[in-house]
Amino acid sequence: MNRRDFLASAGALGLMGLSLPAQGSIQGDLAQTGRGVWESWKAAFLSADGRVIDGLQQQSSHSEGQGYGMFLATVFDDAASFRQMFQWTERHLAIRPDALLAWRWLPGQANPVPDRNNASDGDLFYAWALVRAAARFRDRTYLERAQEIAAALAETCILPMPGRSDQLVLLPATYGFQHETHLSLNPSYYMPLAMREVAAATGTPALAACALSGEALLHEIASEGLVPDWVDVTQSGLRASEVLSANAGYEALRVPLFLIWSRVPDHIAVRRMAAVYERTVQPGIAVPTVIEPLSGVVLESSADPGYQALAGLTICSSQRGLGATIPPFSPDQPYYPATLQLFAMVAVHETLPECVPL
């Protein structure tokens, strides 16, 4: 898994104003070298009709999972699976009055979508998958749908930061997170690379500006400790969430991954998490998954390979090593760590080839 070669449609991306990952690599296109892993992931988590199933969450499907799966389908050059996931999502989650997606679908319910609120990270990955698919599969209709989503995100989920009108924040959803005294934000919803690519492809500069503000926000948070799952933003500054998880937990685990993938491996948020992994990760020992942000005390750990992959990638990035201690992929782990493990594989392949798994 060396080097960058994961989109084939250079001409299509050129039309969108995006630069393509460099063609050619020592190990070739990830669509070939990683095909077995992708087939294992699909067999474990993708239904025949295109629904990505999260077994630990009531067998539900959500916009995050659909966007994640569709993005991976572009990586592995699987147009048929992409189309199945896209069609399922459009039928079952694209039911809001705007262009965004309802965040969750529950099987076996009289009303499978009881909450039509969106999740901005799910919408972002869905749009990013559509942008990549428009190039990979040479289908401009995917780009047109991405443009609708990007415009709706900019209109409803991006707004000035309280007390700092020159910076933008990404709301987790269109409603429910703006309070009288503060905003509640999820730092792991910022995926700078996705935001910039979608902005460039769809002509939505607010997403790129929000990505820049997001990197600065993550730097400010990490200057005090680990980036937590949730923070509150007030007119006077940042504070720990009083209602939602203030630990660096399963959501915040994505922050170092997304920064490394976005070519910001020296970000202080990456270094903070690397320091925890460096002192706790040992062969055969479960890796931290929930950590108290200021003390660094580990509250929960997991032996799932996906979380071990995040630790290996983060340590390699921080130490500028050659080779990362990343375990082989296993479909016998839950959907979430399994998907993060594939993302770590893509991040290595696309931006950090020196961290190829040992």
Side-chain angles (χ1 to χ4, degrees):
M1 285 168 283
N2 271 4
R3 230 58 220 158
R4 296 178 280 170
D5 168 46
F6 87 36
L7 295 176
S9 306
L13 271 180
L15 290 174
M16 298 175 201
L18 292 178
S19 59
L20 198 70
Q23 297 269 334
S25 71
I26 294 174
Q27 296 190 23
D29 192 337
L30 191 55
Q32 275 69 56
T33 60
R35 189 73 187 192
V37 171
W38 171 237
E39 294 298 330
S40 294
W41 185 94
K42 287 197 301 178
F45 308 112
L46 182 62
S47 69
D49 63 350
R51 184 167 81 87
V52 179
I53 300 171
D54 187 345
L56 294 184
Q57 301 293 327
Q58 302 174 267
Q59 301 293 314
S60 67
S61 296
H62 29 75
S63 59
E64 170 206 278
Q66 297 302 119
Y68 283 3
M70 288 164 59
F71 181 89
L72 290 169
T74 71
V75 173
F76 295 102
D77 197 17
D78 190 342
S81 293
F82 183 95
R83 184 169 55 253
Q84 287 176 324
M85 286 183 273
F86 175 63
Q87 291 173 347
W88 187 92
T89 308
E90 291 295 300
R91 284 196 303 270
H92 297 282
L93 296 180
I95 57 175
R96 292 167 48 90
D98 58 20
L100 304 178
L101 303 174
W103 75 278
R104 183 174 63 168
W105 186 90
L106 293 165
Q109 304 291 319
N111 178 13
V113 188
D115 181 0
R116 296 199 175 196
N117 204 9
N118 72 307
S120 57
D121 66 328
D123 293 314
L124 174 63
F125 264 85
Y126 192 63
W128 194 26
L130 288 163
V131 165
R132 292 278 182 112
R136 185 68 143 168
F137 308 134
R138 298 186 182 276
D139 188 337
R140 191 170 180 84
T141 61
Y142 292 143
L143 177 60
E144 292 168 355
R145 180 70 175 103
Q147 289 171 326
E148 296 173 350
I149 297 166
L153 274 174
E155 181 179 355
T156 63
C157 294
I158 295 177
L159 69 163
M161 182 180 295
R164 308 178 199 178
S165 59
D166 60 329
Q167 296 188 45
L168 299 175
V169 294
L170 178 66
L171 286 177
T174 55
Y175 61 88
F177 298 92
Q178 297 185 68
H179 311 287
E180 186 174 330
T181 60
H182 64 279
L183 302 178
S184 295
L185 301 181
N186 188 315
S188 73
Y189 280 28
Y190 289 91
M191 203 309 188
L193 179 62
M195 298 168 82
R196 292 188 174 105
E197 285 198 12
V198 173
T202 64
T204 314
L207 274 170
C210 192
L212 185 63
S213 294
E215 288 182 20
L217 175 66
L218 293 172
H219 189 282
E220 183 175 354
I221 296 170
S223 67
E224 300 293 329
L226 296 173
V227 176
D229 293 333
W230 292 88
V231 295
D232 290 341
V233 183
T234 72
Q235 287 287 336
S236 58
L238 305 175
R239 70 186 188 199
S241 175
E242 297 178 350
V243 177
L244 301 168
S245 168
N247 288 320
Y250 290 94
E251 297 195 67
L253 291 175
R254 295 177 291 189
V255 171
L257 167 66
F258 289 168
L259 288 169
I260 293 167
W261 196 354
S262 299
R263 304 177 180 88
V264 199
D266 293 329
H267 196 285
I268 186 174
V270 178
R271 300 199 307 269
R272 288 281 192 190
M273 194 65 187
V276 172
Y277 285 143
E278 287 166 355
R279 69 175 172 79
T280 58
V281 173
Q282 301 177 40
I285 303 297
V287 301
T289 50
V290 181
I291 309 155
E292 201 287 317
L294 298 182
S295 68
V297 172
V298 175
L299 304 176
E300 292 183 29
S301 299
S302 172
D304 287 327
Y307 300 128
Q308 295 176 336
L310 295 186
L313 174 62
T314 304
I315 291 172
C316 177
S317 172
S318 176
Q319 296 180 348
R320 301 180 181 275
L322 293 176
T325 306
I326 294 177
F329 177 78
S330 171
D332 297 327
Q333 57 185 318
Y335 142 81
Y336 185 62
T339 305
L340 293 182
Q341 186 166 10
L342 264 64
F343 279 176
M345 181 197 312
V346 177
V348 167
H349 190 78
E350 187 170 310
T351 68
L352 210 64
E354 58 269 32
C355 288
V356 65
L358 293 172

